[in-house]
Amino acid sequence: TGVQTCALPIFGKNVRIHSSCIVVGIENISIGDNVRIDGFNSIIAAGGYLNLGSHIHIASHCYIGASAGVTMEDFSGLAYGIKIHSGSDDYSGEYLTNSTIPSKYKNCKSGPVHLGRHVIIGSNTVILPDVDIPIGCSVGALSMVTKSLDAWGVYCGCPVRRLKDRSQKLLEIEKTFLSDMEHMND
């Protein structure tokens, strides 16, 4: 996933964003169809990008820091209170920290965050920079994702660890759902 920005925001059909959301860098955001973003979220895409596919739900009180890019593919979702950081300060004490300090005094880690199709993230989970959560992963509540995961796993913990495989039956249900949606639009 490379840096992808838009000259204007691109919004699909049936996009609902609650009026209490804080959105910065709207010109760097693209949103597919059937997306719901609940209240009291902060979405910061200044200097980066946020690409949301279709059939995505972002519950209340989430933070998406997309300075190095965040992508959520179709059918992915964030439960209440998720924090996604595509950039982070160095906490070692070897450098200065916080956004009031010029870059030459800091050692920020940054990298895009990617959530694949059918990824679901549980409440109050934190996702750090440069992480790929591929197709079919589920991450349990109160987890911390510090590194990329393997597809079709159920993960939980701080830091996360794989607990078991996740069922792929939802791919069959997706096909039926999309077929039914096409017939409704005929």
Side-chain angles (χ1 to χ4, degrees), residues 122-175:
S123 293
N124 294 308
T125 290
V126 176
I127 301 171
L128 294 181
D130 203 22
V131 166
D132 179 26
I133 303 175
I135 187 170
C137 285
S138 66
V139 177
L142 299 170
S143 294
M144 179 177 283
V145 183
T146 60
K147 61 183 180 180
S148 295
L149 307 179
D150 293 324
W152 295 105
V154 175
Y155 293 85
C156 193
C158 187
V160 293
R161 65 182 178 83
R162 189 179 180 111
L163 301 177
K164 64 182 183 176
D165 291 342
R166 186 172 183 214
S167 172
Q168 295 184 34
K169 181 179 179 188
L170 58 86
L171 295 175
E172 296 170 27
I173 299 168
E174 174 190 352
K175 286 179 186 173

Side-chain angles (χ1 to χ4, degrees), residues 26-159:
I26 196 164
E27 67 277 4
N28 301 322
I29 296 174
S30 68
I31 301 176
D33 297 332
N34 303 303
V35 173
R36 186 177 113 192
I37 302 174
D38 293 346
F40 307 104
N41 287 304
S42 295
I43 298 171
I44 313 300
Y49 63 90
L50 174 62
N51 294 329
L52 301 178
S54 295
H55 301 286
I56 289 177
H57 176 229
I58 299 174
S60 299
H61 298 280
C62 292
Y63 169 82
I64 301 175
S67 61
V70 173
T71 299
M72 292 178 64
E73 291 188 25
D74 297 350
F75 299 100
S76 60
L78 304 179
Y80 183 92
I82 305 302
K83 309 297 183 249
I84 297 177
H85 303 274
S86 65
S88 179
D89 283 330
D90 181 327
Y91 283 68
S92 69
E94 301 289 322
Y95 302 90
L96 293 178
T97 62
N98 86 49
S99 57
T100 68
I101 304 298
S103 298
K104 72 180 187 177
Y105 302 105
K106 300 180 355 176
N107 182 36
C108 293
K109 178 181 180 181
S110 66
V113 174
H114 173 258
L115 278 61
R117 290 174 70 85
H118 298 290
V119 167
I120 185 156
I121 308 295
S123 293
N124 294 308
T125 290
V126 176
I127 301 171
L128 294 181
D130 203 22
V131 166
D132 179 26
I133 303 175
I135 187 170
C137 285
S138 66
V139 177
L142 299 170
S143 294
M144 179 177 283
V145 183
T146 60
K147 61 183 180 180
S148 295
L149 307 179
D150 293 324
W152 295 105
V154 175
Y155 293 85
C156 193
C158 187

